[in-house]
Amino acid sequence: MRLRLTPRDTTYYDLFAALAQHNVTGAGLLAELLGADKAERRSIAERFVEVEHEADDATHAIMRRLNQTFVTPFDRDDIYGLASALDDCMDSMEEAADLIVLYKVDALPARVSEVVQVLQRCAELTADAMPRLRSMEKLADYWVEINRLENQGDKLHRKLVAELFDETTDAIQLIKLKEIVDVLEDACDAFERVANMVETVALKES
Amino acid sequence: MRLRLTPRDTTYYDLFAALAQHNVTGAGLLAELLGADKAERRSIAERFVEVEHEADDATHAIMRRLNQTFVTPFDRDDIYGLASALDDCMDSMEEAADLIVLYKVDALPARVSEVVQVLQRCAELTADAMPRLRSMEKLADYWVEINRLENQGDKLHRKLVAELFDETTDAIQLIKLKEIVDVLEDACDAFERVANMVETVALKES
Amino acid sequence: MRLRLTPRDTTYYDLFAALAQHNVTGAGLLAELLGADKAERRSIAERFVEVEHEADDATHAIMRRLNQTFVTPFDRDDIYGLASALDDCMDSMEEAADLIVLYKVDALPARVSEVVQVLQRCAELTADAMPRLRSMEKLADYWVEINRLENQGDKLHRKLVAELFDETTDAIQLIKLKEIVDVLEDACDAFERVANMVETVALKES
């Protein structure tokens, strides 16, 4: 358990905010990885594994609290769902980083950076929104914008896949790049699931 | 929100029936797509995107109603699960249609039409069954038949995959066709999940 | 319904134990399959289909009981989750066996046996742990060890994938082997999900 917060000073809101902040760090490492040469990549990937462990700890802290307390600020299922969805964002981003290193990919298509920028923006907006769960106010802008970003990410993904099939003649290279690109799309979807969970919670409480 | 029904005249049963009807339209478009030449394909795929949006709206209408009302005709979790499963059918069918266009596939194996016929039959039986949720009667025939169809779809899928590997020498072509065929199998599975949810609900109420 | 136990003598604990025992049989068949020649493979795969059906029946028996009784030994959602997770282990193991036969794979990388050994160990530990759900005692060792094994399985999987990409020049062969190896990793993940469910249940009850 690497998370510094002691049970006394944490609340679900603090834990969600910590988890969302790990996703900002993760999305930043992913952007760093794209600009790195092969020597730097391994150390970035190692830092990523650490961040993912911290996010796991934060998720477990939420689950443990959920299993051991009766009073929760909103529906137990929604707390569980929100924590899981935030954790899925991290898992997909870490998987993409891991595949880039594991597959020893030389150059990624330029458009991949655009997808990672979308992920960075999603991560920041999500981290900004978490503290507002306390009041349940001013959250609609957040989920509308995430849905717009996911849509943009989806369009980028489709273009990327079409380009890969048009331009890659080496099937093994294609398998590698397609898997990386698909996992980045999974990360976009995971941020959308977080936004959908927040919308659900906000609607129930309103 | 494109769905015409106003909150006043809708019930969960009407919303489920509308959602299931969208799947009938979707399965029909998929069949149309298989027979179409490349020029027609794009317009069919565009109509598919529209149908998928309408299905999304119908799903959201169910979720919103669920979040804002206390009294539900059966378990909240089952309403949520049934709506999600119906939406998954549409998502997989739309994804298959989208991949056929995106991958510019010239000719699909003949057996693909047989799988799409299974999907059309699943969609029709599901749409027929939804109104019977009101009385919870005469539903067993439906779920038994869907399970039989899913089994048939699964056998067709296995044959298709074996044939693809036996007959395709171009690995990139294989990657495209296998993904399409796998997504069609996901659609069959989604119809089975709908039937399983209906069985669960009917057993609880009996 | 092939399961012999009549409703009278079953309890959820017995049903979970039966389901977990099917996974032990399944993991054993998978190990047998790796050592078999092509003539033997088909009959092993057929026995696997039977075991999977028995596991399905055991899962359905749990679900039916859940839908028809009010009193459950622990949270309904957790009973449902535990049964689903146990069933997922079987599904992934059966899928791997099926792909090995369907793809007519000549030789699997040596490291695949190591992964299957991890699965066998997971299946045995899980079957051993199920009866202890009754007292909820001495379960921590089980879930700690499964988490360790899943970690080991994950490392083996990464090595396997890296080796496949380094050593396979035939892209179609690569597609086949990678899918098998990925499905085996799904099976490891499913055993971890079972352990996580058990941990959740034990923490709630403590």
Side-chain angles (χ1 to χ4, degrees):
Chain A
M1 166 79 187
R2 285 178 207 88
L3 196 80
R4 299 298 149 61
L5 306 166
T6 61
R8 190 182 300 262
D9 20 293
T10 58
T11 66
Y12 286 105
Y13 305 110
D14 296 327
L15 289 165
F16 282 131
L19 193 46
Q21 204 55 52
H22 288 311
N23 284 335
V24 175
T25 311
L29 284 171
L30 202 49
E32 225 180 292
L33 191 70
L34 296 188
D37 59 35
K38 282 200 181 171
E40 299 164 318
R41 279 186 183 180
R42 190 164 294 271
S43 85
I44 297 171
E46 277 162 18
R47 277 155 59 204
F48 217 136
V49 171
E50 256 176 65
V51 175
E52 200 215 351
H53 282 167
E54 284 168 27
D56 271 350
D57 290 341
T59 309
H60 274 114
I62 294 172
M63 301 308 186
R64 200 161 35 237
R65 201 185 175 94
L66 201 53
N67 289 331
Q68 293 175 333
T69 54
F70 283 98
V71 185
T72 55
F74 45 90
D75 261 15
R76 306 183 76 83
D77 285 355
D78 295 333
I79 291 177
Y80 179 87
L82 186 52
S84 302
L86 282 164
D87 199 40
D88 289 344
C89 301
M90 175 59 79
D91 283 350
S92 292
M93 291 192 295
E94 198 274 329
E95 190 183 349
D98 184 52
L99 290 174
I100 292 169
V101 176
L102 184 69
Y103 288 169
K104 300 169 192 145
V105 173
D106 280 316
L108 285 157
R111 227 184 274 281
V112 169
S113 310
E114 293 177 48
V115 178
V116 172
Q117 278 166 31
V118 169
L119 288 174
Q120 283 188 282
R121 192 75 195 111
C122 284
E124 284 158 14
L125 285 171
T126 307
D128 284 354
M130 289 300 110
R132 298 206 294 281
L133 282 174
R134 209 180 282 264
S135 64
M136 293 288 169
E137 280 170 11
K138 297 180 195 162
L139 284 164
D141 285 358
Y142 148 71
W143 72 63
V144 169
E145 178 62 8
I146 292 284
N147 276 285
R148 196 192 63 77
L149 285 166
E150 193 279 331
N151 220 293
Q152 190 186 331
D154 192 52
K155 286 204 175 96
L156 282 167
H157 175 253
R158 286 175 49 83
K159 276 188 199 161
L160 262 165
V161 170
E163 282 171 11
L164 284 181
F165 277 100
D166 283 343
E167 294 164 18
T168 319
T169 48
D170 175 356
I172 292 184
Q173 187 65 6
L174 182 78
I175 294 169
K176 291 178 177 180
L177 294 177
K178 181 159 191 303
E179 189 174 358
I180 292 167
V181 157
D182 286 350
V183 172
L184 289 173
E185 169 69 6
D186 290 344
C188 288
D189 287 345
F191 278 110
E192 195 187 29
R193 272 202 306 284
V194 172
N196 289 345
M197 287 298 315
V198 169
E199 184 178 1
T200 298
V201 171
L203 286 176
K204 278 191 197 171
E205 302 294 313
S206 68
Chain B
M1 167 77 185
R2 287 181 206 87
L3 197 80
R4 299 296 149 61
L5 306 168
T6 61
R8 191 183 298 263
D9 20 293
T10 57
T11 66
Y12 286 105
Y13 305 110
D14 295 327
L15 289 164
F16 282 130
L19 193 47
Q21 203 56 51
H22 288 312
N23 284 334
V24 175
T25 311
L29 285 171
L30 202 48
E32 225 180 293
L33 191 69
L34 296 187
D37 59 34
K38 282 201 180 172
E40 299 165 316
R41 279 187 183 179
R42 189 165 295 271
S43 84
I44 297 171
E46 277 161 19
R47 277 155 59 204
F48 218 136
V49 171
E50 256 176 65
V51 175
E52 201 216 351
H53 283 168
E54 284 169 27
D56 270 350
D57 290 341
T59 309
H60 274 114
I62 295 173
M63 300 308 186
R64 202 163 30 238
R65 200 183 176 95
L66 202 53
N67 288 332
Q68 293 175 333
T69 54
F70 283 99
V71 185
T72 54
F74 44 90
D75 261 14
R76 305 183 77 81
D77 285 356
D78 295 335
I79 291 176
Y80 179 86
L82 186 52
S84 303
L86 282 164
D87 199 40
D88 288 345
C89 301
M90 175 59 78
D91 284 350
S92 292
M93 290 191 296
E94 197 276 327
E95 190 184 349
D98 184 53
L99 290 174
I100 291 170
V101 176
L102 184 69
Y103 287 169
K104 300 167 192 147
V105 173
D106 281 314
L108 285 157
R111 226 183 276 280
V112 169
S113 311
E114 293 177 49
V115 178
V116 172
Q117 278 165 31
V118 169
L119 288 174
Q120 285 189 280
R121 192 75 195 112
C122 284
E124 283 158 13
L125 286 171
T126 307
D128 284 353
M130 289 300 110
R132 299 205 295 280
L133 282 173
R134 209 181 281 266
S135 64
M136 293 288 170
E137 279 170 11
K138 296 180 195 161
L139 285 163
D141 285 358
Y142 149 70
W143 72 64
V144 169
E145 178 63 7
I146 293 284
N147 277 284
R148 196 193 62 78
L149 285 166
E150 193 280 331
N151 220 292
Q152 190 186 331
D154 192 53
K155 286 205 175 97
L156 281 167
H157 175 253
R158 287 176 48 83
K159 276 188 198 160
L160 262 165
V161 170
E163 282 172 11
L164 284 181
F165 277 102
D166 282 344
E167 295 164 17
T168 320
T169 48
D170 175 355
I172 292 184
Q173 186 65 5
L174 182 79
I175 293 169
K176 291 177 176 180
L177 295 177
K178 181 158 189 305
E179 189 174 358
I180 292 166
V181 157
D182 286 350
V183 171
L184 289 173
E185 169 69 6
D186 290 345
C188 288
D189 288 344
F191 278 109
E192 194 186 29
R193 273 203 305 285
V194 173
N196 289 346
M197 286 299 313
V198 170
E199 184 177 2
T200 299
V201 171
L203 286 175
K204 278 190 197 171
E205 302 294 314
S206 68
Chain C
M1 166 76 186
R2 285 180 208 86
L3 196 81
R4 299 298 150 59
L5 305 167
T6 61
R8 190 183 300 264
D9 19 292
T10 58
T11 66
Y12 286 105
Y13 305 109
D14 295 327
L15 289 164
F16 283 129
L19 192 46
Q21 203 55 51
H22 288 309
N23 284 333
V24 175
T25 311
L29 284 172
L30 202 49
E32 225 180 292
L33 191 69
L34 296 187
D37 58 36
K38 283 201 179 170
E40 300 163 317
R41 279 187 182 179
R42 189 164 295 270
S43 85
I44 296 171
E46 277 162 18
R47 278 155 60 204
F48 217 135
V49 171
E50 256 177 64
V51 175
E52 200 216 350
H53 283 168
E54 284 168 28
D56 270 350
D57 290 341
T59 309
H60 274 115
I62 294 173
M63 301 308 186
R64 200 161 34 236
R65 201 183 175 95
L66 201 53
N67 289 331
Q68 294 175 331
T69 55
F70 284 98
V71 185
T72 55
F74 46 90
D75 261 15
R76 305 183 77 81
D77 285 356
D78 295 334
I79 291 177
Y80 179 87
L82 187 52
S84 302
L86 282 164
D87 198 39
D88 289 344
C89 301
M90 175 58 79
D91 284 350
S92 292
M93 290 192 296
E94 197 275 329
E95 190 184 348
D98 184 53
L99 290 173
I100 292 170
V101 176
L102 183 69
Y103 289 169
K104 300 169 191 144
V105 173
D106 279 315
L108 285 157
R111 226 183 275 281
V112 169
S113 310
E114 293 176 50
V115 178
V116 172
Q117 277 165 32
V118 169
L119 288 173
Q120 284 189 280
R121 193 74 195 112
C122 285
E124 283 159 13
L125 286 171
T126 306
D128 284 354
M130 288 301 109
R132 298 205 295 281
L133 282 173
R134 209 181 282 264
S135 64
M136 292 288 170
E137 279 170 12
K138 295 181 196 161
L139 284 163
D141 285 359
Y142 149 70
W143 71 63
V144 169
E145 179 62 8
I146 293 284
N147 276 285
R148 197 192 63 76
L149 284 166
E150 193 280 330
N151 220 293
Q152 190 186 331
D154 192 52
K155 287 205 174 95
L156 282 167
H157 175 254
R158 287 176 47 83
K159 275 188 200 162
L160 263 165
V161 170
E163 282 171 11
L164 284 181
F165 277 101
D166 283 344
E167 294 164 18
T168 320
T169 49
D170 174 357
I172 292 185
Q173 187 64 7
L174 182 79
I175 294 169
K176 291 177 177 180
L177 294 177
K178 182 159 189 304
E179 189 174 358
I180 292 166
V181 157
D182 286 350
V183 171
L184 289 172
E185 169 69 6
D186 290 344
C188 287
D189 288 345
F191 278 110
E192 195 186 28
R193 272 203 306 284
V194 172
N196 289 346
M197 285 301 312
V198 169
E199 184 178 1
T200 298
V201 171
L203 286 176
K204 279 191 198 172
E205 302 293 315
S206 69

